[in-house]
Each structure stands twice: as structure tokens, then as C-alpha cells.
Amino acid sequence: MQILQSSHLYTFPKPLNPNRPLLHNNNNRRHVTFPAAATTKSFPPKCFSSDEFPVDETFLEQFGPKDKETEDEARRRNWIERGWAPWEEILTPEADFARKSLNEGEEVALQSPEAIEAFKMLKPSYRMKKIKEMGITEDEWYKKQFEIKGEIPEKLETVWAAPLLVTHVAPRDWPPRGWEVDRKELEYIREAHKLQNVRVEIGELERKAKFEREGFNFDRYRVFLKQYNQWVAANKDRLEEESYKYDQDYYPGRRKRGKDYEEDMYELPFYYPGQICEGKVTTVHLYQGAFVDIGGVYDGWVPIKGNDWYWIRHHIKVGMHVIVEILAKRDPYRFRFPIEMRFVQPNIDHLIFNRFDFAPIFHRDEDKNPDELRRDCGRPPVPRKYPGVKPEEEGLLSTHPYVDKLWQIHNAEQLILDDMEANPDKYKGKKLSELTDDEEFDDENSVEYTKVNYKKALLPKIILKTSVKELDLEAALAEREHHNKLQREAKERGEQYKVYKLIRNFEMDEYNFIHWRRSLEEREALIRDISCRQALGLPLEEPGRYKEDSFFGKDEYDPSNPLYRYDYWGEPKNSEKSLQERMRDAHNKSIVGKGMVWYEMSYDDVIKQKMQREARSKCVTPEEVEEEDSTSGHGNGDDDDDDDDDDFDYSILSDSSSLSFSNQPVVNGTESSSISDEGMFED
């Protein structure tokens, strides 16, 4: 008997069939009883819909807010109850455990009076009370906090080990490529570079320096400035047009053009690596660095990135005047920032930790070869696995890529000629050279991929469209008429005439032969290059191009591997790969045997047993085979050793030839030769 211990009223719905007793079961009787308090008092059942629920004073007493606390107090109570406040950091479960595990799972209580006071100051009301006690404003208090923290560092002072050497020397790469100058003037300019390397005695140093100041070297520099101004006058408009053509919309360090361009701005050939310049910081970029205006069409780029700005931000600011040294001058059409520099005053080299691996470059649509691109940019090769094939040992190529197109044109010509012979009225009075396409030929959509029904199977079909303008129908027609004439003459003589090759076939062979010759020349050049490298002791491969497999680790993504295909469920059982594995397993079984039986024997015994099995399969008695063996020279007294093997049951061994894979049923994807499916599906 089950009793529901509840003081609430339970009402059961009215039975649909009143004649049938409620809760009545012949097999298992159950009585449900209620307490007396619930049964003596009967309430009339009331039902209210949601919109007519009675709202009175009792409703507000029951469901209204219990205590009168302000929103700030409620929010603070919520913070304290949940163990989180908005000024604290939100920790992951692992970090929270790591922090609390230092003290056996409990957070360390605040011990020092300073820490307790700092925690109290987090409360806004307590903080305002303390600020009033100090007699200062809130802004003054915040200013004082920054002074306490000491965020603004001391001003950076650059210490000089020696005087800064500033020279007026022409760039070593002058003149630019493709610009002709007077050869004698160029020799005169380049003597300044030779003078730099002259070793002088300390006693003569003062006299040499005075001699330099008299204008010895400035004459050469003035000649360079004359040639430079001629180059600028001839190329200024072209460079601005190329900037509009090639440069992106805007990025810091881009070439100044239009209204930004001013007269007497220095072009790129004016600068050279090692030059000391004075400039003004124009832009500060978090991920690219600082940009300094040094009076040229390009702003100089100082590479600074990421967290280094945390240390540098107080020392390098926009608008300040700095002294810089040019480190590199690069191609402006390939590199985003052609002039790379470093700060000399103020010197912040000791604050830069995150160096750029490579200078940023432009990626253009015409960059098809990634190896060529990285060589242009001076970057190391992308590491890749060694392919394991040597090009000098591979076969020569004789498949020209244009041959496929020629074959398509040849087939189209022959189809039209066949159509002419079948329907001569269709082409009557028309010239073959004047034929036009039925619809406008689109080279992009010249290949259509469809499907076609063939013997109750849907097979893929490729339609290749060819324009009539590409065909040489008159030559093909003349060739066909010539062959028809020769065929008629041979028929009259009673001979058989056969066309082996057409002109287009000879043309394809010529293209393939050209391709073969080119492949042969490439191989000879490659072998010559390898021989020269070996003779000079140079590496055969570009250093760093190929890496060992261990460099990539185990789980290297390989898009050509079916393992990384989203619908790959394993190698199918009937594929060529698994067929080879099954044949190998069958071969091993034929040698070793079934199950866990392993029998070691000599090679002669294996050959003997194999002959016996073959004789058994051909219904030849083993005695005849043994007689043949004895006559062939094996019966020389060594039979006692072979008698021990006669007790072995050779039936467990099976020949690989007797294993037919078509007869083996597949059970759960696994072949089994010991299970037969006879009678498996019979009733």
C-alpha cells in the first residue's frame, strides 16, 4: 500500500468512461489514500487564465521586492556573493586553480596593513571619504597615483663614444639602372669612395682634415648633384604616374604624390645605406613602426612592433626631431617601405626586442612563382620535404601541351568533313573559309562538364567547344580529296590503300619532338650544372630548400593525402592498394600457414612441399614425385633427415595460386576463406 504524505489537495480528472472504475486493475490492486486533513475540507476548484489573475495587496506582499536596498548595494552584494568584482581579472578555471592551489585551495588572506588599506580603497564611498580627509580633489588624487606608480620614465640620453661622422658622399649605386651619364664625371665621383679607405698616419690626420675642408671632396659631390638633378628632371613625371598605377590607396610610408609632393624632395637614388639624416617623426604605427620624414618622397621606416612600444612610447613621439641612420635601400615596387632606418638620437636600439624577420613586401597578381618572389626579396626558401626523386634520373618528356589542342582541332576538322560528305546540300555554295560559329564562342566556357546515360549508368561527359576560325578546313578538305583519289586509283589496280597518318598527326609528332629535344637539353644543362657544382665543392641543392621529415613532425597537413579528406573513411577493401595487401597476406599464409601455426623449414623443403602440393592439385601421386626427386639426385642417403617432416600436416598450408579472391566471402569488410555462405540466406 502506498500513501502520499502531502498536505496539498490532489484532484484527479473526471474519467472519460464513468462506468469503468478509476484506478482499478484486476492483476494488481493499489489503494491511494489521503490524509484526513485534506479530505475533510473541500475547496471548489478555481481556474484563472494568465490575464485575469487577481492582483491585490497580498500579491505584492508575496511577489514584491523584500528589502529596500539601493542598486549599488545590490550590485556590490552580488559581487561579494559570487566572488568576483569588476576590478578583478576574470580567470579561467585552470588559472583560478593555479592561483588558489598555492595555499591548499584557499585564497591567501590579505596580511599587511597596506594591502588591507588598498583593498578598502577599491570601494568608491571609502575612497571619496579618504580624499576628503586629505583635502585634495579627485583629479589631484589620480595624478598622485600616477606619480606613485612612476609610469613615465626618465628622459633618454644618448651617450656618444666618439663624434658623429657626417659625410657628403655620392651613393655607390649611382647612376640608376638604365640611366647613362658621362663616364669621366662618374670616375671623378667614384674617387671619393676610394679616398675613404686611405690609411693615414696620426700626425698627418690634422693636415688631411684641413685639406678636406678646403673643398676637395665637395667638388665631387657637386658633380653628383648635377647628374642627380638631370635624372630627376627626366624621370619625375614617370615616377608619379607609376605611383598612381602600382601603389595601394594609402599606407604610412607611401610615396608622396599630388598635393603632398613638394619641389626639391629627394628621390630614392639620393640616399644610400650608412647615410646620417635629420628628420621629423610623422607617424607611429603599432604593428609597423615609426616613420620619419627625411626630406624625400618616401618616409623612412624604423621597424618597431608589438610590445616594444610599451618601452619606447615615451621616447619616440609624433612631431619630435630625431637623427637617423639609413640601414637599407630597397626596390620601391616590391618592398612596402623602401628606406629602412634606425634611430641615432635618441638611441633606442637597446629597447627593441621584437625584430622583423623580413621587410614587408607587396604581393602582386603577376607573382606566379613563389620561389622567384622570395629570391627577389632575399628571403630563405620555404622548407619542404625532400621529394625523393632526382630530376636528372627521370625520363624525358615528349608530350607537348599544345598537342591536346591540336588533337581537338584535328577532330573538329574531320567531323565537319564527315558532315559534308553526309549532307552535301547543307554546304552547297558556301566557302569553307567563310563558315561562322552558330553561337558566339567564349574561350572561358569552351569546356562543359555534364553527365550522360550509358548502359544504365550515369557517366561524366566533357564537351570541348572549338571555334571554326581556329580550323584550317580548306587544307583538310584538299588532303581528304587527295587521299580519296589515291584510294580510287588503288581500287582500280586491285590494291588496298590505307591512310596511316594525316598532316595534323605529323604536326603533333613535330611538337612532341620539339618538347623531347627541349627536355633533353634541360637534362644536359642540369647534369652539367651538377658536375660543375661537384667539381667546385658547392652544394647540389639550394641550402635550406629541403628538410628532413623529422623537421615537420608527425602530423603534417598534406592536402594530397586522402587521410585529410573530410569524407575519408579508410582505404576501400576493393581498391588496388588493399588488393596488393590481400595478395601479400595470402602469399604469407601460403608460406607460413593458417592461424597461429608457424613452421620453420629450409628452402629445399619449401620447394619440395610446393611440388607435392602442385602434384596433389594435378592428381599426381606423391610417390611419383618422390621417385622423380630420387632420380634427379636427391636420394643420396639424406632421406632420414626428411622423414621427420612427414608427420607435419601439409593441409594447413595453401598455395597462393589456389586462393581466389572472388570466392572468399567478405565478413564485416574482412576476407575469410574458412567461412562459406552456402545456406546462409535460405529459409
Side-chain angles (χ1 to χ4, degrees), residues 13-22:
K14 189 177 180 182
L16 295 176
N17 189 0
N19 300 327
R20 193 172 176 182
L22 187 67

Side-chain angles (χ1 to χ4, degrees), residues 367-394:
D367 298 333
K368 304 296 182 188
N369 190 345
D371 286 334
E372 190 178 325
L373 173 66
R374 64 163 183 75
R375 285 195 197 100
D376 283 351
C377 304
R379 303 190 175 191
V382 178
R384 61 187 77 177
K385 287 185 181 177
Y386 184 70
V389 294
K390 295 182 179 178
E392 65 272 12
E393 294 178 3
E394 287 189 350

Side-chain angles (χ1 to χ4, degrees), residues 305-565:
K305 65 175 180 178
N307 292 344
D308 288 348
W309 275 117
Y310 182 81
W311 316 102
I312 297 168
R313 63 200 161 117
H314 299 290
H315 309 304
I316 303 298
K317 294 185 178 175
V318 174
M320 68 184 294
H321 291 271
V322 292
I323 300 174
V324 291
E325 179 191 358
I326 296 177
L327 298 179
K329 182 174 72 170
R330 299 189 174 96
D331 179 12
Y333 299 104
R334 171 56 68 197
F335 290 90
R336 187 176 285 269
F337 313 121
I339 303 175
E340 183 181 343
M341 305 186 303
R342 73 178 186 93
F343 286 115
V344 175
Q345 165 73 26
N347 187 2
I348 56 162
D349 287 351
H350 62 287
L351 298 176
I352 298 178
F353 299 97
N354 298 327
R355 301 280 177 183
F356 277 75
D357 294 333
F358 312 104
I361 60 171
F362 291 116
H363 289 273
R364 310 213 181 267
D365 294 336
E366 53 267 20
D367 298 333
K368 304 296 182 188
N369 190 345
D371 286 334
E372 190 178 325
L373 173 66
R374 64 163 183 75
R375 285 195 197 100
D376 283 351
C377 304
R379 303 190 175 191
V382 178
R384 61 187 77 177
K385 287 185 181 177
Y386 184 70
V389 294
K390 295 182 179 178
E392 65 272 12
E393 294 178 3
E394 287 189 350
L396 297 175
L397 300 173
S398 60
T399 52
H400 197 282
Y402 186 60
V403 167
D404 292 336
K405 183 68 177 174
L406 269 180
W407 176 249
Q408 184 180 338
I409 291 171
H410 169 64
N411 284 337
E413 289 172 351
Q414 298 303 317
L415 284 171
I416 291 176
L417 294 181
D418 292 342
D419 190 41
M420 276 184 65
E421 290 182 355
N423 307 311
D425 299 335
K426 184 177 173 183
Y427 299 89
K428 197 170 185 181
K430 290 184 182 178
K431 285 187 178 179
L432 290 176
S433 58
E434 296 175 355
L435 290 178
T436 57
D437 298 322
D438 295 339
E439 55 188 34
E440 189 175 350
F441 180 72
D442 185 8
D443 200 11
E444 290 184 1
N445 302 322
S446 60
V447 182
E448 284 186 11
Y449 296 92
T450 58
K451 291 188 177 181
V452 65
N453 288 309
Y454 176 75
K455 291 185 179 179
K456 299 181 181 179
L458 198 63
L459 300 178
K461 178 183 177 184
I462 302 175
I463 301 173
L464 301 173
K465 295 182 181 177
T466 311
S467 176
V468 183
K469 297 171 186 174
E470 298 177 355
L471 309 180
D472 192 0
L473 290 170
E474 292 181 348
L477 180 63
E479 183 187 19
R480 178 168 283 203
E481 288 174 351
H482 174 68
H483 283 300
N484 289 343
K485 177 185 171 187
L486 293 176
Q487 194 170 12
R488 286 194 300 271
E489 292 175 357
K491 195 174 183 182
E492 290 171 1
R493 294 194 304 269
E495 299 174 358
Q496 189 177 6
Y497 180 76
K498 191 171 183 181
V499 181
Y500 289 99
K501 276 189 176 182
L502 299 174
I503 295 176
R504 288 289 189 191
N505 300 116
F506 287 110
E507 198 176 343
M508 292 179 212
D509 292 344
E510 285 176 11
Y511 270 105
N512 282 334
F513 182 67
I514 290 170
H515 202 57
W516 181 86
R517 287 293 312 175
R518 187 183 300 148
S519 178
L520 178 67
E521 288 165 7
E522 283 180 1
R523 170 183 284 186
E524 288 176 348
L526 186 65
I527 293 173
R528 201 181 311 122
D529 178 60
I530 290 172
S531 305
C532 294
R533 283 174 175 270
Q534 283 180 336
L536 296 171
L538 296 172
L540 299 184
E541 291 291 347
E542 185 178 4
R545 180 178 177 84
Y546 295 117
K547 298 280 188 181
E548 298 293 331
D549 292 348
S550 58
F551 174 82
F552 299 97
K554 292 183 180 177
D555 300 327
E556 174 67 15
Y557 172 66
D558 182 12
S560 61
N561 191 344
L563 188 66
Y564 292 96
R565 221 172 52 221

